[in-house]
Amino acid sequence: MMQQKLHVTLLTGRTIEQGVGKEYGKSSPEYFEACSMVYMDAEDMKKIGVKNGAKVLVTTPNGSVVLKAVKHPRGSMSGLIYIPYGLWANSIVSNATTSIGMPSFKGTPAEVEAAPDQPILSMRELLKKEFGR
Amino acid sequence: MSVINAVTCPICGCLCDDIEITVVENEVVKVKNGCAVCEAKYLGYKSEHRISHPLIRKNDKLVPVSMDEAVHKAAEILANANYPILYGWSSTNCEAQRIGVELAEEVGGVLDNTAVVCHGPSLMGTQEAGIPTSTLGQIRHRADLIIYWGCDPWSAHPRHLERYTSFTEGRFEDSEWKSYINKVKAAAGRKKLLSAQRVSPKKQEISVAESVVFNKPPETLQKEGRKLVVIDVRKSMTAEMADYFIQVEPNKDYELMQAMRAMVKDQDLDVDQVAGVPMEYLKEVVDTLINCKFGVVFFGMGLTQSAGKFRNIEVAISLVRDLNLRTKFVIMPMRGHFNVSGANIVFAWQSGYAFGIDFSLGYPRYNPGETTSMDVLLRGESDAALVIASDPAATFPKRAIQNLVKHPLIVIDPHMNPTAMLGDVVFPSAFVGIEVEGTAYRMDNVPLPLKKVVDPPKGVISDEELLKKILEEVRIIKAQETKNKTEGA
């Protein structure tokens, strides 16, 4: 049966595309493509009725962001989602530094739902929305 | 046209020093030996994203100004701040980092490098447990068991396997490249055969409990030769290349390592599985660890950014220490920025501490959680910031950046990155390792020289020169203030 929302564990991290994009320049289309996406398990995508390349809304206690859902190409990662490091991931990651300076960039709870009608914000739009500049 | 050999790549902690750069009329036209990221940097450094002039925010817009005006403005901000943050430092050379410490001491703020969101927990873990480590050269020539735990070098350090571990021809250990290629060919053959027979694999419902995929360790794990084991929460690109991939449940690395420690000490555990890994398989893995001649654990953000953080590192080091009672084992963090190790070393050499240093009392203090830039920002305590050679707007949680932009922000970077877009005073700088030479430390703390291959754009100076200018101006402003105070009194 199709679910409205899926409860998952959020991971953020490096991808080679993000690495290449950041070196081209963070305003480059390569960087936007590489960072405004989320890897999901194929079975999980079916559960919320999301096709490869469709838009999803990822929500945590710290905020929400619209991203392009991409099927994780290798193995199962049921219950996990993976967003490349970048502004899009940062708008929802946990602030909890557990008193050592390091926020919990990996392994925090999140919710995913289909968001076919919502736009993926560009870097400029995201900066304006979050920081007003 | 000139071809420059043995150029050190200024991107990740691998610091590959075999890059060949072809330069025509002061422009890089060809890059040989580098990875995809290396090519992107050397060929993209002159892109339209480059900052060409110093900029100051006026009426909410960044407008070009003269270098003197920008330097004066930046110095004024720093000299008048009570508790500024001086953050970044990891993508510049040690020479600039040294001036940074001097500047931090002069203005009395928090000096921090990108290790805080990277391997800061590793430094803390090392302070707790020490670190049995070696250089990458030793690993290249001797290691017969390579473990990548919570890291994906294929994506983040693309040439790590090729230069230092599995796919390099060492003096005592052979490259596994050919056997990997054979494995890939065999897998492709099997897939073709299946599609030719039109046999579709049976569809199975995967429950959450079964989601942690775990296959029996292959027999090759107990054989001679170099072996690659990857431990991660998802099957990364590196995991696909591994002889054996262990998929650990998220946030349970600590448990898994403690269980392995017990097993290394021949203690029995009365459980069926640990962190999603069946005990019988884990036993085989631990046997492989004990039976190797020279093992190495490389670890990354999978350990430092998930639950446990620095305790994960402490226990990983303890596991390696225990293994050293049975065989030879070393451990090494996979450092990200090309000179983040250098930043740690220069800061420690100058102040006694590697990151998160507070100069506000006139002497260096270090207390992670209190003096780390992230916590200072999240608590909203700072009143100005200088960001150099890094991009916190793309790496910090948004609340930290919301607090960062509430106060004057000085940014020094070659590229117009998100932090520069949010800045109040923005300086262009020359690319270290492309337009400026200097020293950088590799992830194994070996210093290597960076080369200058082309001249920087006109009017653009190095981080080191720029910081010297700002420091000089800060001293002039402070001297003037002291003079005014004494005259007023």
Side-chain angles (χ1 to χ4, degrees):
Chain A
M1 209 185 86
M2 195 122 89
Q3 286 171 245
Q4 191 92 50
K5 278 183 183 174
L6 189 72
H7 294 274
V8 291
T9 300
L10 167 67
L11 307 169
T12 65
R14 175 83 79 193
T15 63
I16 186 108
E17 293 82 7
Q18 181 257 354
V20 171
K22 81 179 166 58
E23 295 305 338
Y24 277 132
K26 286 179 177 159
S27 315
S28 66
E30 287 88 349
Y31 186 74
F32 174 78
E33 285 295 322
C35 298
S36 61
M37 54 88 80
V38 51
Y39 278 123
M40 288 184 73
D41 186 79
E43 295 296 320
D44 284 352
M45 289 168 81
K46 272 186 205 160
K47 281 181 199 161
I48 50 167
V50 170
K51 288 199 171 130
N52 198 20
K55 285 181 281 187
V56 289
L57 180 73
V58 184
T59 308
T60 71
N62 298 292
S64 56
V65 68
V66 182
L67 299 164
K68 187 171 98 173
V70 177
K71 186 183 146 224
H72 190 250
R74 297 167 300 277
S76 158
M77 53 179 280
S78 177
L80 301 175
I81 58 168
Y82 188 93
I83 309 178
Y85 290 139
L87 282 157
W88 293 266
N90 289 340
S91 56
I92 57 166
V93 290
S94 162
N95 294 326
T97 71
T98 55
S99 287
I100 63 156
M102 169 68 90
S104 300
F105 286 115
K106 294 180 196 276
T108 53
E111 283 176 358
V112 191
E113 59 194 296
D117 305 323
Q118 294 187 48
I120 300 177
L121 297 185
S122 70
M123 192 176 72
R124 281 283 183 188
E125 288 165 337
L126 207 57
L127 288 175
K128 198 82 191 160
K129 181 189 160 209
E130 307 285 12
F131 313 117
R133 280 189 179 179
Chain B
M1 190 180 90
S2 63
V3 178
I4 307 161
N5 283 318
V7 175
T8 308
C9 167
I11 292 169
C12 75
C14 284
L15 279 186
C16 305
D17 53 359
D18 60 344
I19 312 294
E20 198 179 289
I21 302 283
T22 310
V23 177
V24 176
E25 289 172 4
N26 199 39
E27 200 155 325
V28 177
V29 294
K30 197 174 150 196
V31 183
K32 216 173 136 186
N33 296 342
C35 65
V37 192
C38 172
E39 274 197 22
K41 180 154 188 170
Y42 274 106
L43 299 175
Y45 76 103
K46 269 199 166 162
S47 69
E48 70 277 18
H49 311 296
R50 199 74 198 261
I51 308 170
S52 52
H53 292 90
L55 307 162
I56 287 184
R57 189 172 293 272
K58 289 176 184 169
N59 298 325
D60 207 27
K61 274 215 166 103
L62 286 170
V63 291
V65 292
S66 71
M67 181 61 93
D68 289 345
E69 189 184 341
V71 167
H72 183 75
K73 178 80 182 163
E76 213 173 51
I77 291 169
L78 290 172
N80 294 329
N82 276 321
Y83 198 43
I85 288 178
L86 290 86
Y87 173 83
W89 310 105
S90 300
S91 289
T92 188
N93 52 18
C94 295
E95 291 78 357
Q97 291 161 353
R98 202 179 63 173
I99 310 296
V101 184
E102 221 176 325
L103 183 62
E105 201 175 2
E106 188 65 45
V107 300
V110 164
L111 178 70
D112 206 356
N113 52 58
T114 59
V116 72
V117 288
C118 190
H119 275 290
S122 311
L123 296 163
M124 292 171 65
T126 306
Q127 284 157 357
E128 295 282 325
I131 190 158
T133 192
S134 75
T135 59
L136 287 167
Q138 286 289 328
I139 293 163
R140 171 185 182 153
H141 292 301
R142 295 173 197 277
D144 65 338
L145 176 63
I146 290 122
I147 300 171
Y148 287 110
W149 198 317
C151 55
D152 179 15
W154 193 92
S155 299
H157 303 83
R159 293 183 72 213
H160 197 268
L161 285 115
E162 168 195 334
R163 274 176 62 82
Y164 306 120
T165 64
S166 303
F167 300 146
T168 181
E169 206 64 55
R171 193 161 164 194
F172 307 108
E173 290 295 333
D174 295 331
S175 164
E176 288 298 314
W177 179 246
K178 274 186 190 156
S179 71
Y180 170 66
I181 293 293
N182 288 338
K183 208 168 80 179
V184 172
K185 277 185 189 162
R190 272 198 301 276
K191 208 172 164 187
K192 259 188 195 166
L193 206 67
L194 271 179
S195 71
Q197 291 170 341
R198 297 194 178 174
V199 179
S200 62
K202 272 184 194 170
K203 279 189 183 171
Q204 287 176 337
E205 279 289 315
I206 303 168
S207 71
V208 180
E210 286 168 325
S211 68
V212 174
V213 182
F214 206 86
N215 305 311
K216 198 173 158 30
E219 283 173 11
T220 45
L221 215 54
Q222 308 298 348
K223 284 185 183 161
E224 287 282 305
R226 254 181 184 152
K227 290 164 291 271
L228 176 63
V229 175
V230 172
I231 305 170
D232 211 330
V233 292
R234 64 171 191 127
K235 196 169 193 183
S236 62
M237 281 301 290
T238 315
E240 191 139 276
M241 294 170 156
D243 293 301
Y244 193 44
F245 166 54
I246 301 173
Q247 193 164 6
V248 58
E249 288 172 3
N251 293 327
K252 290 195 177 166
D253 303 86
Y254 187 90
E255 269 178 59
L256 188 62
M257 285 186 280
Q258 287 290 37
M260 286 166 85
R261 285 186 70 194
M263 290 159 88
V264 169
K265 290 177 179 170
D266 288 332
Q267 287 163 352
D268 279 332
L269 295 173
D270 194 16
V271 287
D272 298 330
Q273 52 96 13
V274 179
V277 184
M279 281 307 276
E280 48 180 321
Y281 297 171
L282 198 56
K283 268 185 190 144
E284 283 190 46
V285 175
V286 171
D287 281 345
T288 311
L289 261 59
I290 292 169
N291 293 330
C292 78
K293 284 183 277 189
F294 187 120
V296 53
V297 178
F298 290 102
F299 63 94
M301 304 294 96
L303 294 188
T304 63
Q305 293 181 340
S306 59
K309 295 173 188 170
F310 79 108
R311 293 292 178 206
N312 289 338
I313 312 309
E314 190 191 337
V315 74
I317 294 170
S318 301
L319 171 65
V320 168
R321 195 177 55 199
D322 294 343
L323 280 163
N324 270 302
L325 297 171
R326 312 288 292 265
T327 180
K328 169 77 184 168
F329 239 93
V330 296
I331 183 166
M332 190 180 294
M334 297 285 281
R335 304 310 301 266
H337 286 74
F338 73 87
N339 200 20
V340 61
S341 297
N344 297 148
I345 284 179
V346 172
F347 288 7
W349 152 51
Q350 296 270 313
S351 75
Y353 306 112
F355 76 111
I357 310 146
D358 183 337
F359 283 96
S360 62
L361 296 180
Y363 56 88
R365 279 192 320 128
Y366 162 76
N367 186 16
E370 183 202 346
T371 64
T372 28
S373 56
M374 182 67 72
D375 297 276
V376 171
L377 280 173
L378 289 172
R379 289 192 301 262
E381 289 174 347
S382 61
D383 60 351
L386 178 143
V387 171
I388 177 167
S390 74
D391 185 14
T395 48
F396 279 23
K398 74 174 174 204
R399 207 176 88 205
I401 301 303
Q402 282 165 347
N403 285 341
L404 181 77
V405 297
K406 277 183 192 161
H407 306 286
L409 172 62
I410 306 156
V411 182
I412 303 174
D413 205 275
H415 268 161
M416 198 61 182
N417 61 28
T419 313
M421 289 174 192
L422 299 172
D424 295 296
V425 184
V426 179
F427 290 96
S429 73
F431 267 111
V432 173
I434 301 179
E435 298 159 348
V436 181
E437 55 186 19
T439 307
Y441 280 75
R442 203 166 61 183
M443 62 168 70
D444 55 351
N445 294 331
V446 170
L448 291 169
L450 299 165
K451 281 187 183 171
K452 174 184 172 175
V453 292
V454 292
D455 290 323
K458 206 169 164 246
V460 173
I461 56 174
S462 70
D463 294 325
E464 187 189 1
E465 285 173 86
L466 190 54
L467 287 165
K468 276 182 181 164
K469 276 178 188 275
I470 296 174
L471 177 62
E472 201 179 321
E473 192 70 15
V474 165
R475 284 182 173 149
I476 292 170
I477 294 172
K478 283 197 149 190
Q480 191 61 41
E481 277 173 5
T482 322
K483 200 178 155 200
N484 291 349
K485 267 184 202 164
T486 28
E487 277 172 6

PDB file of all heavy atoms in Angstrom, chain B residues 295-311:
ATOM      1  N   GLY B 295      48.104  -4.935   8.648  1.00  0.00           N
ATOM      2  CA  GLY B 295      46.751  -4.435   8.368  1.00  0.00           C
ATOM      3  C   GLY B 295      46.667  -2.940   8.578  1.00  0.00           C
ATOM      4  O   GLY B 295      47.468  -2.350   9.308  1.00  0.00           O
ATOM      5  N   VAL B 296      45.705  -2.319   7.889  1.00  0.00           N
ATOM      6  CA  VAL B 296      45.517  -0.882   8.068  1.00  0.00           C
ATOM      7  C   VAL B 296      44.024  -0.555   8.052  1.00  0.00           C
ATOM      8  O   VAL B 296      43.271  -1.116   7.264  1.00  0.00           O
ATOM      9  CB  VAL B 296      46.301  -0.071   6.998  1.00  0.00           C
ATOM     10  CG1 VAL B 296      45.969  -0.517   5.597  1.00  0.00           C
ATOM     11  CG2 VAL B 296      46.020   1.427   7.127  1.00  0.00           C
ATOM     12  N   VAL B 297      43.629   0.319   8.960  1.00  0.00           N
ATOM     13  CA  VAL B 297      42.247   0.811   8.978  1.00  0.00           C
ATOM     14  C   VAL B 297      42.268   2.276   8.560  1.00  0.00           C
ATOM     15  O   VAL B 297      42.939   3.094   9.193  1.00  0.00           O
ATOM     16  CB  VAL B 297      41.618   0.709  10.391  1.00  0.00           C
ATOM     17  CG1 VAL B 297      40.194   1.271  10.382  1.00  0.00           C
ATOM     18  CG2 VAL B 297      41.620  -0.716  10.898  1.00  0.00           C
ATOM     19  N   PHE B 298      41.592   2.583   7.461  1.00  0.00           N
ATOM     20  CA  PHE B 298      41.366   3.985   7.086  1.00  0.00           C
ATOM     21  C   PHE B 298      39.940   4.317   7.477  1.00  0.00           C
ATOM     22  O   PHE B 298      39.031   3.542   7.172  1.00  0.00           O
ATOM     23  CB  PHE B 298      41.526   4.185   5.578  1.00  0.00           C
ATOM     24  CG  PHE B 298      42.938   4.046   5.090  1.00  0.00           C
ATOM     25  CD1 PHE B 298      43.358   2.883   4.466  1.00  0.00           C
ATOM     26  CD2 PHE B 298      43.843   5.082   5.240  1.00  0.00           C
ATOM     27  CE1 PHE B 298      44.658   2.755   4.008  1.00  0.00           C
ATOM     28  CE2 PHE B 298      45.142   4.955   4.779  1.00  0.00           C
ATOM     29  CZ  PHE B 298      45.555   3.794   4.162  1.00  0.00           C
ATOM     30  N   PHE B 299      39.740   5.449   8.141  1.00  0.00           N
ATOM     31  CA  PHE B 299      38.369   5.771   8.522  1.00  0.00           C
ATOM     32  C   PHE B 299      38.014   7.195   8.112  1.00  0.00           C
ATOM     33  O   PHE B 299      38.873   8.051   7.938  1.00  0.00           O
ATOM     34  CB  PHE B 299      38.146   5.576  10.026  1.00  0.00           C
ATOM     35  CG  PHE B 299      38.991   6.478  10.889  1.00  0.00           C
ATOM     36  CD1 PHE B 299      38.486   7.694  11.342  1.00  0.00           C
ATOM     37  CD2 PHE B 299      40.275   6.126  11.237  1.00  0.00           C
ATOM     38  CE1 PHE B 299      39.257   8.530  12.139  1.00  0.00           C
ATOM     39  CE2 PHE B 299      41.050   6.966  12.022  1.00  0.00           C
ATOM     40  CZ  PHE B 299      40.546   8.170  12.472  1.00  0.00           C
ATOM     41  N   GLY B 300      36.696   7.412   7.948  1.00  0.00           N
ATOM     42  CA  GLY B 300      36.245   8.724   7.478  1.00  0.00           C
ATOM     43  C   GLY B 300      35.055   9.225   8.261  1.00  0.00           C
ATOM     44  O   GLY B 300      34.841   8.866   9.420  1.00  0.00           O
ATOM     45  N   MET B 301      34.255  10.037   7.550  1.00  0.00           N
ATOM     46  CA  MET B 301      33.138  10.737   8.190  1.00  0.00           C
ATOM     47  C   MET B 301      32.060   9.785   8.723  1.00  0.00           C
ATOM     48  O   MET B 301      31.272  10.167   9.563  1.00  0.00           O
ATOM     49  CB  MET B 301      32.478  11.697   7.201  1.00  0.00           C
ATOM     50  CG  MET B 301      33.402  12.720   6.577  1.00  0.00           C
ATOM     51  SD  MET B 301      34.058  13.888   7.752  1.00  0.00           S
ATOM     52  CE  MET B 301      35.624  13.164   8.128  1.00  0.00           C
ATOM     53  N   GLY B 302      32.044   8.557   8.207  1.00  0.00           N
ATOM     54  CA  GLY B 302      31.081   7.578   8.704  1.00  0.00           C
ATOM     55  C   GLY B 302      31.233   7.360  10.199  1.00  0.00           C
ATOM     56  O   GLY B 302      30.274   7.052  10.897  1.00  0.00           O
ATOM     57  N   LEU B 303      32.451   7.519  10.703  1.00  0.00           N
ATOM     58  CA  LEU B 303      32.676   7.377  12.140  1.00  0.00           C
ATOM     59  C   LEU B 303      32.602   8.717  12.864  1.00  0.00           C
ATOM     60  O   LEU B 303      32.072   8.792  13.958  1.00  0.00           O
ATOM     61  CB  LEU B 303      34.048   6.738  12.411  1.00  0.00           C
ATOM     62  CG  LEU B 303      34.247   5.295  11.960  1.00  0.00           C
ATOM     63  CD1 LEU B 303      35.575   4.764  12.476  1.00  0.00           C
ATOM     64  CD2 LEU B 303      33.122   4.407  12.449  1.00  0.00           C
ATOM     65  N   THR B 304      33.135   9.785  12.246  1.00  0.00           N
ATOM     66  CA  THR B 304      33.246  11.045  12.999  1.00  0.00           C
ATOM     67  C   THR B 304      31.933  11.822  13.039  1.00  0.00           C
ATOM     68  O   THR B 304      31.746  12.667  13.904  1.00  0.00           O
ATOM     69  CB  THR B 304      34.324  11.978  12.404  1.00  0.00           C
ATOM     70  OG1 THR B 304      33.935  12.345  11.085  1.00  0.00           O
ATOM     71  CG2 THR B 304      35.681  11.330  12.365  1.00  0.00           C
ATOM     72  N   GLN B 305      31.021  11.550  12.076  1.00  0.00           N
ATOM     73  CA  GLN B 305      29.796  12.357  12.017  1.00  0.00           C
ATOM     74  C   GLN B 305      28.557  11.611  12.489  1.00  0.00           C
ATOM     75  O   GLN B 305      27.470  12.154  12.508  1.00  0.00           O
ATOM     76  CB  GLN B 305      29.568  12.857  10.583  1.00  0.00           C
ATOM     77  CG  GLN B 305      30.620  13.857  10.144  1.00  0.00           C
ATOM     78  CD  GLN B 305      30.407  14.386   8.735  1.00  0.00           C
ATOM     79  OE1 GLN B 305      29.714  13.781   7.949  1.00  0.00           O
ATOM     80  NE2 GLN B 305      31.021  15.512   8.431  1.00  0.00           N
ATOM     81  N   SER B 306      28.686  10.333  12.845  1.00  0.00           N
ATOM     82  CA  SER B 306      27.506   9.600  13.316  1.00  0.00           C
ATOM     83  C   SER B 306      27.611   9.404  14.830  1.00  0.00           C
ATOM     84  O   SER B 306      28.613   9.778  15.435  1.00  0.00           O
ATOM     85  CB  SER B 306      27.383   8.269  12.578  1.00  0.00           C
ATOM     86  OG  SER B 306      28.527   7.498  12.775  1.00  0.00           O
ATOM     87  N   ALA B 307      26.588   8.812  15.412  1.00  0.00           N
ATOM     88  CA  ALA B 307      26.520   8.709  16.873  1.00  0.00           C
ATOM     89  C   ALA B 307      27.803   8.136  17.462  1.00  0.00           C
ATOM     90  O   ALA B 307      28.346   7.159  16.943  1.00  0.00           O
ATOM     91  CB  ALA B 307      25.340   7.834  17.261  1.00  0.00           C
ATOM     92  N   GLY B 308      28.268   8.747  18.519  1.00  0.00           N
ATOM     93  CA  GLY B 308      29.518   8.311  19.138  1.00  0.00           C
ATOM     94  C   GLY B 308      30.652   9.259  18.826  1.00  0.00           C
ATOM     95  O   GLY B 308      31.457   9.582  19.684  1.00  0.00           O
ATOM     96  N   LYS B 309      30.686   9.727  17.562  1.00  0.00           N
ATOM     97  CA  LYS B 309      31.688  10.688  17.091  1.00  0.00           C
ATOM     98  C   LYS B 309      33.094  10.367  17.606  1.00  0.00           C
ATOM     99  O   LYS B 309      33.661   9.369  17.214  1.00  0.00           O
ATOM    100  CB  LYS B 309      31.250  12.110  17.420  1.00  0.00           C
ATOM    101  CG  LYS B 309      29.981  12.478  16.663  1.00  0.00           C
ATOM    102  CD  LYS B 309      29.413  13.816  17.079  1.00  0.00           C
ATOM    103  CE  LYS B 309      28.067  14.022  16.425  1.00  0.00           C
ATOM    104  NZ  LYS B 309      27.342  15.152  16.932  1.00  0.00           N
ATOM    105  N   PHE B 310      33.651  11.167  18.512  1.00  0.00           N
ATOM    106  CA  PHE B 310      35.062  10.935  18.870  1.00  0.00           C
ATOM    107  C   PHE B 310      35.251   9.637  19.646  1.00  0.00           C
ATOM    108  O   PHE B 310      36.337   9.063  19.654  1.00  0.00           O
ATOM    109  CB  PHE B 310      35.668  12.136  19.597  1.00  0.00           C
ATOM    110  CG  PHE B 310      35.321  12.243  21.056  1.00  0.00           C
ATOM    111  CD1 PHE B 310      36.273  11.975  22.029  1.00  0.00           C
ATOM    112  CD2 PHE B 310      34.067  12.645  21.445  1.00  0.00           C
ATOM    113  CE1 PHE B 310      35.964  12.099  23.377  1.00  0.00           C
ATOM    114  CE2 PHE B 310      33.739  12.769  22.783  1.00  0.00           C
ATOM    115  CZ  PHE B 310      34.685  12.488  23.757  1.00  0.00           C
ATOM    116  N   ARG B 311      34.168   9.148  20.284  1.00  0.00           N
ATOM    117  CA  ARG B 311      34.270   7.853  20.977  1.00  0.00           C
ATOM    118  C   ARG B 311      34.432   6.724  19.947  1.00  0.00           C
ATOM    119  O   ARG B 311      35.079   5.721  20.231  1.00  0.00           O
ATOM    120  CB  ARG B 311      33.045   7.604  21.847  1.00  0.00           C
ATOM    121  CG  ARG B 311      32.935   8.552  23.025  1.00  0.00           C
ATOM    122  CD  ARG B 311      34.030   8.301  24.040  1.00  0.00           C
ATOM    123  NE  ARG B 311      33.944   9.236  25.153  1.00  0.00           N
ATOM    124  CZ  ARG B 311      34.982   9.600  25.902  1.00  0.00           C
ATOM    125  NH1 ARG B 311      36.187   9.116  25.664  1.00  0.00           N
ATOM    126  NH2 ARG B 311      34.826  10.440  26.891  1.00  0.00           N
TER     127      ARG B 311
END
